[in-house]
Amino acid sequence: MDTVPRSPNGFLSSLSASDFELIRPHLRMVDLAADSVLIEADEVLKRAYMPHRGVISLVVKLAKGERVQVAMVGRDSLYGAFTPLVQERVMNNAVVLVPGVASTIELEPLRAAAGQSPTLRTTLIRHGLAVYAQIQQTAGCNAAHTVESRLARYLLHTRDLSGSDKIVLTQEAMAQMIGARRNSVSLVAHTLQQANFIHYSRGHIEITNVDGLIRTACECYATVKSQYARLLHCQEVSG
């Protein structure tokens, strides 16, 4: 792991110069390899991740083997926001959904830095609350909205977090991420392609009409974006 410069992660770029300097010597760069499991439920998290590129998926694994995504963390935030403040076992798996690179820091120096700086503690809390708000919205979305609107919302959110119109996702992965059956996702993906909103072939998705997807997505997409803007007091990460 190599020493990493500041940014382009939203959490890092939001820190004051003094807060960033508290953690800068401890930051390292790591690869986020596709499908790699960063941690499993009931394990103790030992490091936080701040993606520069790529997306980390928080996944609930059910007794019969089903996996349902409850939140995503990308270049706007960090995974492990609450852990430096409350040492607890994690409640879900963290899996790399979209490969990339991330800054990482062991939790002990991050905890020490948060203990020295009230503003850093506040920033960690706000990022943790933003992810929690996303989890709540996702639960309601999966229970009440159509597969088509959920898939559109999911693709838009993945695009925002990864910073790319091109995404590599299998139908099985998409089904797991939105809590739907694979055949339902296949039909909806075909419908979105027929509408020229996406181009989909062998697990490779290219978003070709963002406005069309936004019209198809449920209100949860805009709601989560507004919650993040309110909690983080930051501008939307540019593409």
Side-chain angles (χ1 to χ4, degrees), residues 72-134:
M72 292 188 287
V73 175
R75 57 186 182 147
D76 60 337
S77 192
L78 79 160
Y79 172 63
F82 281 144
T83 314
L85 309 175
V86 181
Q87 179 65 49
E88 293 287 352
R89 296 180 184 273
V90 301
M91 293 181 287
N92 39 55
N93 293 9
V95 182
V96 175
L97 179 68
V98 178
V101 294
S103 295
T104 185
I105 182 172
E106 293 185 0
L107 289 182
E108 285 307 316
L110 182 57
R111 184 176 293 113
Q116 295 179 55
S117 171
T119 55
L120 178 56
R121 287 199 301 276
T122 297
T123 303
L124 286 167
I125 290 170
R126 285 187 174 277
H127 278 266
L129 288 173
V131 174
Y132 180 62
Q134 184 189 157

Coordinates of all heavy atoms in Angstrom, one line a residue, residues 72-134:
M72 N -25.0 1.8 -0.7 CA -23.8 1.8 -1.4 C -22.9 3.0 -0.9 O -23.5 4.1 -0.6 CB -24.0 2.0 -2.9 CG -24.7 0.7 -3.5 SD -24.8 0.9 -5.4 CE -26.0 2.1 -5.6
V73 N -21.6 2.8 -1.0 CA -20.7 3.9 -0.6 C -19.7 4.0 -1.8 O -19.1 3.1 -2.2 CB -19.9 3.6 0.7 CG1 -18.9 4.7 0.9 CG2 -20.9 3.5 1.9
G74 N -19.6 5.3 -2.3 CA -18.7 5.5 -3.4 C -17.8 6.7 -3.1 O -17.4 6.9 -1.9
R75 N -17.4 7.4 -4.1 CA -16.5 8.5 -4.0 C -17.0 9.7 -3.2 O -16.2 10.6 -2.9 CB -16.0 9.0 -5.4 CG -17.2 9.4 -6.3 CD -16.8 9.7 -7.7 NE -17.9 10.2 -8.4 CZ -17.9 11.1 -9.4 NH1 -16.7 11.6 -9.8 NH2 -19.0 11.5 -10.1
D76 N -18.3 9.7 -2.8 CA -18.8 10.8 -2.1 C -18.6 10.7 -0.6 O -18.7 11.6 0.2 CB -20.3 10.9 -2.3 CG -21.1 9.6 -1.9 OD1 -20.4 8.5 -1.9 OD2 -22.3 9.7 -1.7
S77 N -18.2 9.4 -0.1 CA -18.3 9.2 1.4 C -17.2 8.2 1.8 O -16.2 8.1 1.2 CB -19.7 8.8 1.8 OG -19.9 8.8 3.2
L78 N -17.5 7.6 2.9 CA -16.6 6.6 3.4 C -17.4 5.4 4.1 O -18.5 5.6 4.5 CB -15.6 7.1 4.5 CG -16.1 7.3 5.9 CD1 -14.9 7.4 6.9 CD2 -16.9 8.6 6.0
Y79 N -16.7 4.2 4.0 CA -17.3 3.1 4.7 C -16.6 2.9 6.1 O -15.4 2.9 6.1 CB -17.1 1.8 3.9 CG -17.5 0.6 4.7 CD1 -18.8 0.4 5.1 CD2 -16.6 -0.4 5.0 CE1 -19.2 -0.7 5.8 CE2 -16.9 -1.5 5.7 CZ -18.3 -1.7 6.1 OH -18.6 -2.8 6.9
G80 N -17.4 2.9 7.1 CA -16.9 2.8 8.5 C -16.9 4.1 9.3 O -16.2 4.3 10.2
A81 N -17.9 4.9 9.0 CA -18.0 6.3 9.6 C -18.2 6.2 11.1 O -17.6 7.0 11.8 CB -19.1 7.1 8.9
F82 N -19.2 5.3 11.5 CA -19.5 5.3 12.9 C -18.5 4.5 13.8 O -18.4 4.7 15.0 CB -20.9 4.7 13.1 CG -22.0 5.6 12.8 CD1 -23.2 5.2 12.2 CD2 -22.0 7.0 13.2 CE1 -24.2 6.0 12.0 CE2 -23.0 7.8 12.9 CZ -24.1 7.4 12.3
T83 N -17.8 3.6 13.1 CA -16.9 2.6 13.9 C -15.9 3.3 14.7 O -15.6 2.8 15.8 CB -16.3 1.6 12.9 OG1 -17.3 1.2 12.0 CG2 -15.7 0.4 13.7
P84 N -15.2 4.4 14.3 CA -14.2 5.0 15.2 C -14.9 5.6 16.5 O -14.2 5.8 17.5 CB -13.7 6.2 14.4 CG -13.9 5.8 13.0 CD -15.3 5.0 13.0
L85 N -16.2 5.8 16.4 CA -16.9 6.4 17.6 C -17.5 5.4 18.5 O -17.5 5.6 19.7 CB -18.0 7.4 17.1 CG -17.5 8.4 16.0 CD1 -18.7 9.2 15.5 CD2 -16.5 9.3 16.6
V86 N -17.9 4.3 17.9 CA -18.5 3.2 18.7 C -17.9 1.9 18.2 O -18.3 1.5 17.1 CB -20.1 3.2 18.6 CG1 -20.6 2.0 19.5 CG2 -20.6 4.5 19.1
Q87 N -17.1 1.2 19.0 CA -16.5 0.0 18.5 C -17.6 -1.2 18.6 O -17.9 -1.7 19.7 CB -15.3 -0.4 19.4 CG -14.6 -1.7 19.0 CD -14.0 -1.6 17.6 OE1 -13.3 -0.6 17.3 NE2 -14.2 -2.6 16.8
E88 N -18.1 -1.5 17.5 CA -19.1 -2.6 17.4 C -18.8 -3.5 16.2 O -18.1 -3.1 15.3 CB -20.5 -2.0 17.2 CG -21.0 -1.2 18.4 CD -21.4 -2.0 19.6 OE1 -21.4 -3.3 19.5 OE2 -21.6 -1.5 20.7
R89 N -19.4 -4.7 16.3 CA -19.3 -5.6 15.1 C -20.2 -5.1 14.0 O -21.3 -4.5 14.3 CB -19.7 -7.0 15.5 CG -18.8 -7.6 16.6 CD -19.2 -9.0 17.0 NE -18.3 -9.5 18.0 CZ -17.1 -10.2 17.8 NH1 -16.7 -10.3 16.5 NH2 -16.4 -10.6 18.8
V90 N -19.9 -5.3 12.8 CA -20.7 -4.8 11.7 C -21.9 -5.7 11.5 O -21.9 -6.9 11.9 CB -19.9 -4.7 10.4 CG1 -18.7 -3.8 10.5 CG2 -19.4 -6.1 9.9
M91 N -23.0 -5.1 10.9 CA -24.2 -5.8 10.8 C -24.5 -6.4 9.5 O -25.5 -7.1 9.3 CB -25.4 -4.9 11.2 CG -25.4 -4.5 12.7 SD -26.7 -3.4 13.2 CE -26.2 -1.9 12.4
N92 N -23.6 -6.1 8.5 CA -23.8 -6.6 7.1 C -22.5 -6.8 6.4 O -21.5 -6.3 6.9 CB -24.8 -5.8 6.3 CG -24.6 -4.3 6.6 OD1 -23.5 -3.8 6.4 ND2 -25.6 -3.6 7.0
N93 N -22.5 -7.5 5.3 CA -21.3 -7.7 4.5 C -21.0 -6.4 3.8 O -21.9 -5.7 3.3 CB -21.5 -8.8 3.6 CG -21.6 -10.2 4.2 OD1 -21.7 -10.2 5.5 ND2 -21.5 -11.2 3.5
A94 N -19.7 -6.1 3.5 CA -19.3 -5.0 2.7 C -18.5 -5.7 1.5 O -17.5 -6.3 1.7 CB -18.4 -4.1 3.4
V95 N -19.1 -5.5 0.3 CA -18.5 -6.2 -0.9 C -18.2 -5.1 -2.0 O -19.0 -4.2 -2.1 CB -19.5 -7.2 -1.4 CG1 -19.0 -7.9 -2.6 CG2 -19.9 -8.2 -0.3
V96 N -17.2 -5.3 -2.7 CA -16.9 -4.3 -3.8 C -17.8 -4.6 -5.0 O -17.7 -5.7 -5.6 CB -15.4 -4.4 -4.2 CG1 -15.1 -3.5 -5.4 CG2 -14.5 -4.1 -3.0
L97 N -18.7 -3.7 -5.3 CA -19.6 -3.8 -6.4 C -19.0 -3.4 -7.7 O -19.1 -4.1 -8.7 CB -20.8 -3.0 -6.1 CG -21.9 -3.0 -7.1 CD1 -22.6 -4.4 -7.2 CD2 -23.0 -2.0 -6.8
V98 N -18.3 -2.2 -7.6 CA -17.6 -1.7 -8.8 C -16.2 -1.5 -8.5 O -15.8 -0.9 -7.4 CB -18.2 -0.4 -9.3 CG1 -17.4 0.2 -10.4 CG2 -19.7 -0.5 -9.6
P99 N -15.2 -2.2 -9.2 CA -13.8 -2.1 -8.8 C -13.3 -0.7 -8.9 O -13.8 0.2 -9.7 CB -13.1 -3.0 -9.8 CG -14.1 -3.1 -11.0 CD -15.4 -2.9 -10.4
G100 N -12.2 -0.4 -8.2 CA -11.6 0.9 -8.2 C -10.4 1.0 -7.3 O -9.7 0.0 -7.0
V101 N -10.2 2.2 -6.7 CA -9.2 2.4 -5.7 C -9.8 3.2 -4.6 O -10.7 3.9 -4.8 CB -7.9 3.1 -6.3 CG1 -7.2 2.2 -7.3 CG2 -8.3 4.4 -6.9
A102 N -9.1 3.1 -3.4 CA -9.6 3.8 -2.2 C -8.5 4.2 -1.3 O -7.5 3.5 -1.3 CB -10.7 3.0 -1.4
S103 N -8.7 5.3 -0.6 CA -7.9 5.6 0.6 C -8.4 4.7 1.7 O -9.6 4.5 1.8 CB -7.9 7.0 1.0 OG -7.4 7.9 0.0
T104 N -7.5 4.3 2.6 CA -7.9 3.5 3.7 C -7.1 3.9 4.9 O -5.9 4.4 4.8 CB -7.7 2.0 3.5 OG1 -8.2 1.2 4.6 CG2 -6.3 1.6 3.3
I105 N -7.7 3.8 6.1 CA -7.0 4.1 7.3 C -7.4 3.2 8.4 O -8.6 2.8 8.5 CB -7.3 5.6 7.7 CG1 -6.5 6.0 9.0 CG2 -8.8 5.8 7.9 CD1 -6.7 7.5 9.4
E106 N -6.4 2.7 9.2 CA -6.8 1.8 10.3 C -7.6 2.7 11.3 O -7.4 3.9 11.5 CB -5.5 1.3 11.0 CG -4.8 0.3 10.0 CD -3.6 -0.3 10.7 OE1 -3.3 0.0 11.9 OE2 -2.9 -1.1 10.0
L107 N -8.5 2.0 12.0 CA -9.4 2.7 12.9 C -8.8 3.3 14.1 O -9.3 4.3 14.7 CB -10.6 1.8 13.3 CG -11.5 1.4 12.1 CD1 -12.7 0.6 12.6 CD2 -12.1 2.7 11.5
E108 N -7.7 2.7 14.6 CA -7.1 3.3 15.8 C -6.6 4.7 15.6 O -7.0 5.6 16.4 CB -6.0 2.4 16.3 CG -6.5 1.1 17.0 CD -7.5 1.4 18.1 OE1 -7.3 2.4 18.9 OE2 -8.5 0.7 18.2
P109 N -5.8 5.0 14.6 CA -5.4 6.4 14.4 C -6.6 7.3 14.0 O -6.6 8.5 14.3 CB -4.4 6.3 13.2 CG -4.6 5.0 12.6 CD -5.1 4.1 13.7
L110 N -7.6 6.8 13.3 CA -8.8 7.6 13.0 C -9.6 7.9 14.3 O -10.1 9.0 14.5 CB -9.7 6.8 12.0 CG -11.0 7.6 11.5 CD1 -10.6 8.9 10.9 CD2 -11.8 6.7 10.6
R111 N -9.7 6.9 15.2 CA -10.3 7.1 16.4 C -9.6 8.2 17.3 O -10.2 9.1 17.9 CB -10.4 5.8 17.2 CG -11.2 5.9 18.5 CD -11.4 4.5 19.2 NE -12.2 3.7 18.4 CZ -11.8 2.6 17.7 NH1 -10.5 2.2 17.8 NH2 -12.7 1.9 17.1
A112 N -8.2 8.1 17.3 CA -7.4 9.1 18.0 C -7.6 10.5 17.4 O -7.8 11.4 18.2 CB -6.0 8.7 18.0
A113 N -7.7 10.6 16.1 CA -7.9 11.9 15.5 C -9.2 12.4 15.8 O -9.4 13.6 16.1 CB -7.7 11.8 14.0
A114 N -10.3 11.6 15.8 CA -11.6 12.0 16.1 C -11.7 12.5 17.6 O -12.5 13.4 17.9 CB -12.6 10.9 15.8
G115 N -10.9 11.9 18.4 CA -10.9 12.3 19.8 C -10.2 13.6 20.0 O -10.6 14.3 21.0
Q116 N -9.4 14.0 19.1 CA -8.7 15.4 19.2 C -9.5 16.5 18.6 O -9.3 17.6 18.9 CB -7.4 15.3 18.5 CG -6.3 14.4 19.1 CD -5.0 14.4 18.3 OE1 -4.4 15.4 18.1 NE2 -4.6 13.2 17.9
S117 N -10.4 16.1 17.6 CA -11.1 17.1 16.8 C -12.6 17.0 16.8 O -13.1 16.1 16.2 CB -10.6 17.1 15.4 OG -11.4 17.9 14.6
P118 N -13.3 17.9 17.5 CA -14.8 17.9 17.4 C -15.4 18.0 16.0 O -16.4 17.4 15.7 CB -15.2 19.1 18.3 CG -14.1 19.3 19.2 CD -12.9 19.0 18.4
T119 N -14.7 18.8 15.1 CA -15.2 18.9 13.8 C -15.0 17.6 13.0 O -15.9 17.3 12.2 CB -14.5 20.1 13.1 OG1 -13.1 19.9 13.1 CG2 -14.8 21.4 13.7
L120 N -14.0 16.9 13.2 CA -13.8 15.6 12.5 C -14.8 14.6 13.0 O -15.4 13.9 12.2 CB -12.4 15.1 12.8 CG -12.1 13.7 12.2 CD1 -12.3 13.7 10.6 CD2 -10.6 13.3 12.5
R121 N -15.1 14.6 14.3 CA -16.2 13.7 14.9 C -17.5 14.1 14.2 O -18.3 13.2 13.8 CB -16.3 13.9 16.4 CG -15.2 13.2 17.1 CD -15.5 13.0 18.6 NE -15.9 14.3 19.3 CZ -15.1 15.1 19.8 NH1 -13.8 14.8 19.8 NH2 -15.5 16.2 20.5
T122 N -17.8 15.4 14.1 CA -19.1 15.8 13.5 C -19.2 15.3 12.0 O -20.2 14.9 11.6 CB -19.2 17.3 13.6 OG1 -19.3 17.7 15.0 CG2 -20.5 17.8 12.9
T123 N -18.1 15.5 11.3 CA -18.1 15.0 9.9 C -18.3 13.5 9.8 O -19.1 13.1 8.9 CB -16.7 15.4 9.2 OG1 -16.5 16.8 9.4 CG2 -16.8 15.1 7.7
L124 N -17.7 12.8 10.6 CA -17.9 11.3 10.6 C -19.3 11.0 10.9 O -19.9 10.1 10.3 CB -17.0 10.6 11.7 CG -15.5 10.5 11.3 CD1 -14.7 10.2 12.5 CD2 -15.3 9.5 10.2
I125 N -19.9 11.6 11.9 CA -21.3 11.4 12.3 C -22.2 11.7 11.1 O -23.2 11.0 10.8 CB -21.7 12.2 13.5 CG1 -21.0 11.6 14.7 CG2 -23.2 12.2 13.7 CD1 -21.1 12.5 16.0
R126 N -22.0 12.8 10.4 CA -22.9 13.2 9.3 C -22.8 12.2 8.2 O -23.8 11.9 7.5 CB -22.5 14.6 8.8 CG -22.9 15.8 9.7 CD -22.7 17.1 9.2 NE -23.3 18.2 10.0 CZ -24.6 18.5 9.9 NH1 -25.4 17.9 9.1 NH2 -25.0 19.5 10.7
H127 N -21.6 11.7 7.9 CA -21.4 10.7 6.8 C -22.1 9.4 7.2 O -22.7 8.7 6.4 CB -20.0 10.5 6.5 CG -19.4 11.5 5.5 ND1 -19.4 11.4 4.2 CD2 -18.9 12.8 5.8 CE1 -18.9 12.4 3.6 NE2 -18.6 13.3 4.5
G128 N -22.0 9.1 8.5 CA -22.7 7.9 9.0 C -24.2 8.0 8.9 O -24.9 7.1 8.5
L129 N -24.7 9.2 9.2 CA -26.2 9.4 9.1 C -26.6 9.4 7.7 O -27.8 8.9 7.4 CB -26.5 10.7 9.8 CG -26.4 10.8 11.3 CD1 -26.6 12.2 11.8 CD2 -27.4 9.8 12.0
A130 N -25.8 9.9 6.8 CA -26.2 9.9 5.4 C -26.4 8.4 4.9 O -27.3 8.1 4.2 CB -25.2 10.6 4.5
V131 N -25.4 7.5 5.2 CA -25.6 6.1 4.8 C -26.8 5.5 5.5 O -27.5 4.7 4.9 CB -24.3 5.4 5.2 CG1 -24.5 3.9 4.9 CG2 -23.1 5.9 4.4
Y132 N -27.0 5.9 6.8 CA -28.2 5.3 7.5 C -29.5 5.8 6.8 O -30.4 5.0 6.6 CB -28.2 5.8 8.9 CG -29.3 5.3 9.7 CD1 -29.6 4.0 9.9 CD2 -30.2 6.2 10.3 CE1 -30.6 3.5 10.7 CE2 -31.3 5.8 11.1 CZ -31.5 4.4 11.3 OH -32.6 4.0 12.0
A133 N -29.5 7.0 6.4 CA -30.7 7.5 5.6 C -30.9 6.8 4.3 O -32.1 6.5 4.0 CB -30.5 9.0 5.3
Q134 N -29.8 6.4 3.7 CA -29.9 5.6 2.4 C -30.5 4.3 2.7 O -31.3 3.7 2.0 CB -28.5 5.5 1.8 CG -28.6 4.8 0.4 CD -27.2 4.5 -0.1 OE1 -27.0 3.6 -0.9 NE2 -26.2 5.2 0.4

